[in-house]
Every structure is written in structure tokens, then in C-alpha cells.
Amino acid sequence: MAKRALITGITGQDGSYLAEFLLNRGYEVFGMTRRSSTNSFDRISHIIDRITLLSGDLLDEHSLATAIRESQPDEIYNLAAQSFVPTSWAQPVLTAEFTAVGVSRLLEAMRAVKPDARFYQASSSEMFGKVQETPQTERTPFYPRSPYGVSKVFGHWITVNYRESYGLFACSGILFNHESERRGLEFVSRKVTDGAARIKLGRATRLALGNLDAQRDWGYAPDYVRAMWLMLQHETPDDYVVATGVTRTVRELVAVAFEHVGLNWEKYVDVDPKLIRPAEVDVLVGDASKARRVLGWQPTVSFEAMIGKMVEADLARYTRNGP
Ligand code: NAP
Ligand code: G4F
């Protein structure tokens, strides 16, 4: 019989790639979506006929229990969250409700309805924040620097706690930044590839950015959803860092994207002080040797290749849509 998976956050970047990945492995895929007056199915429109959507919200435990009862999943992937760091300063309580307490609600629902399911929690390198050691591993102490990072620390520890308290098969994947052609336009990688494409096509003349010195360990999202699945296939539940091990500045990211369209970025980019964060995560670089050793995971797409794909996709989108 086909395995069944329930994905919260299926309309997001990672949810859409994970759904494709699981369908390709013969899974029956269920996705939880929240009601909206306009639909947010752009990233899953190509697979919508092959998945089952169930309505639910991380704020509403009853709807989570119903989604689990209706899907009877072997695996639950909790990818839903308020995931944009700047919004977490503007809406700190809502971020905590979604990104922190929402994990408790989902774990409680799973414990009540399907305690033998395997659970994946989307934890984040933002938990390392003001880093206490470099590179960061599963044992590096957390020092989050935003309400989002603080909420993710709660989500991580409540996952570990439910594993230890109730013996649930619950894993926390500590994923470093991962990007793609499906990344939201507000995140820096996509903002830059979209900006480079628009400037190249004459649709914009300037691009405003914040801190160009920040460093991130950027990987390719389809590689990272494979790591989520591998965690739930292992015989014992555990926590894993998923990263490339290479860090770059935002400035390098901008240079690679603009070079791809044959432009000198310094002529087009402005630094807007309004985009500087109240507290910054200066530099992240992960050590994924445990995931490599135990899960056999490794990244397959280089930073340059990823940025190239993203720029090409943005150019194609604007060209397709006409002037
Ligand atoms: P994303 O594109 O922002 O997607 C977030 C998803 O969560 C969307 O499907 C959104 O639904 C859903 N959602 C938000 N609030 C919800 C609520 N109250 N109830 C139900 N669903 C809700 O994020 P992503 O980049 O795919 O990331 C997936 C997960 O990994 C997130 O938890 C993120 O924090 C975490 N993470 C991401 C990265 C990264 O670099 N991408 C790294 C580490 C960890 P709508 O479409 O309705 O808004
Ligand atoms: O792309 P970002 O907004 O990603 P950030 O804050 O690192 O968070 C992402 O990765 C986390 C994993 O570490 C996830 F958990 C989280 O959900 C999200 O997916 O910003 C990256 C860096 C920051 O240092 C920011 O200050 O880019 C810098 N930056 C410079 N100019 C900018 C901009 N970021 C954005 N979004 N927009 C700018 O104009």
C-alpha cells in the first residue's frame, strides 16, 4: 500500500518541492491549506490533481486533528510557519503563535490522533543567530536574534521534548537558507534575481537592498527537501543540520546574479537604511557532516548554478508575460 504523507505549508517553496518529491516516490500526498479570499496555489498548480488538500490552520488545533484524522498519514511534515524574519518584528505575537506554539498544537494533535506517525519539524539556522561557534553543528548552542528565531528555538525544543517525553518519532531538521525559482520575492536571493532580470529587461532602473555584508550558507531547495524525507526514513529519530558548508556575502550574491545578465551591479544597487534589521545574524555556515554520514545526504547544485537558474526563470517569466 502507498505511504501517506501530510504536509503543512504545502503552498510554500519547500512544501511544493516536497510534494513533488513524495509523489515521485509513490506516496499519497495530503496538503494542509488555510482559507484565503484569493488562492495561493501557484506553486502547486501543476500537481493539484494528484494531491488532496485539507483545510486547516496552525492557530486551530481542532483543524489540525481533523486533517490528521482524514489523511491517516505515515509521515507528517510541519513546514508551515510565518517564515519571513522582518515580519517577525512587526508581528511578534502572531509569529510566536504560528511558528512556536503551532508546533505544540500539531504535536498534540498527532499524539491524540496518530501517535505512530513520523514527524518532521522545519527548524532553522536562524536559531544560531549570534553564532557561538563556527561552523554550526547539531551541538552548537542557540542564540536567536529575531522573534522568528526565538519561535523556531521553541519549535525545535518542543519537538525534541515530545520525542523524549512520549517516544514519538519526531525529527528536527536544522536547515540553512535554501532558495529556488519558487522562493518568495521578499527573500534576498529572489529579490536580487528578480531585480537583475527586471533591470536587464528595462523594467526597473534601481534595486534597494539592506545589509550587503551579511553572510549566509545558501543551498538549493529541492536538495533540502530530500534531506527532510531521509530523516524520516532512518531507523531512529534525530536532529540534523542541513547545509552546504560554504558561506557568501549578500554582496557576492548580487555580483553573481548581475554578472549572469552581463551587468555591473554597482551601477544599480542602493543601500536603503530602512531595510537594515534591528538585530542581524551576521554570518552562518553549517557543518552537515552528520547528515552526510548517517543519511547519505549531500547537496547537488552549486551556488552559482542555483543563482543562474533563478535569474533565467525570472527573465523567462517577464518575457512570457510581455511588457
Ligand atoms: P514559505 O514559502 O514562506 O511557506 C510557508 C508556508 O506556511 C505557506 O504554505 C503558508 O501558507 C503556510 N502557513 C503560514 N502560516 C500558516 C498558518 N497559520 N497555518 C497554516 N499554514 C500556514 O516557507 P519555506 O521557505 O517553504 O519554508 C518552509 C519551512 O521551513 C518554514 O517553516 C520555514 O520557517 C522553514 N525554514 C525555511 C528555510 C529556507 O531557507 N527556506 C530555512 C530553514 C527553515 P500560505 O500560502 O497560505 O501563506
Ligand atoms: O533572504 P533573507 O530574508 O533570509 P533570512 O533572514 O536569512 O531567513 C531565511 O533563512 C532562514 C534560515 O536561516 C529561514 F529560517 C527563514 O525562514 C528564511 O527563509 O535575508 C538574508 C540576509 C539577511 O542578513 C538580510 O539582512 O540578507 C540580508 N538582506 C540584505 N538586503 C536582505 C536584504 N534581506 C531581505 N529579505 N531583503 C533585502 O533587501
Side-chain angles (χ1 to χ4, degrees), residues 83 85 124-125 148 177 183 186 188 191 210 214 216 277 280:
S83 73
V85 171
S124 166
S125 53
Y148 168 82
N177 299 52
R183 186 58 142 152
E186 66 276 34
V188 74
K191 183 172 172 182
R216 290 291 182 275
R277 299 178 179 185
E280 179 63 284

Side-chain angles (χ1 to χ4, degrees), residues 85-119:
V85 171
T87 297
S88 78
W89 279 287
Q91 300 177 353
V93 176
L94 192 69
T95 299
E97 286 288 353
F98 287 7
T99 306
V101 189
V103 188
S104 300
R105 292 192 191 96
L106 189 56
L107 283 164
E108 271 301 301
M110 168 172 145
R111 199 163 78 82
V113 179
K114 192 82 173 62
D116 61 335
R118 295 186 169 203
F119 181 87

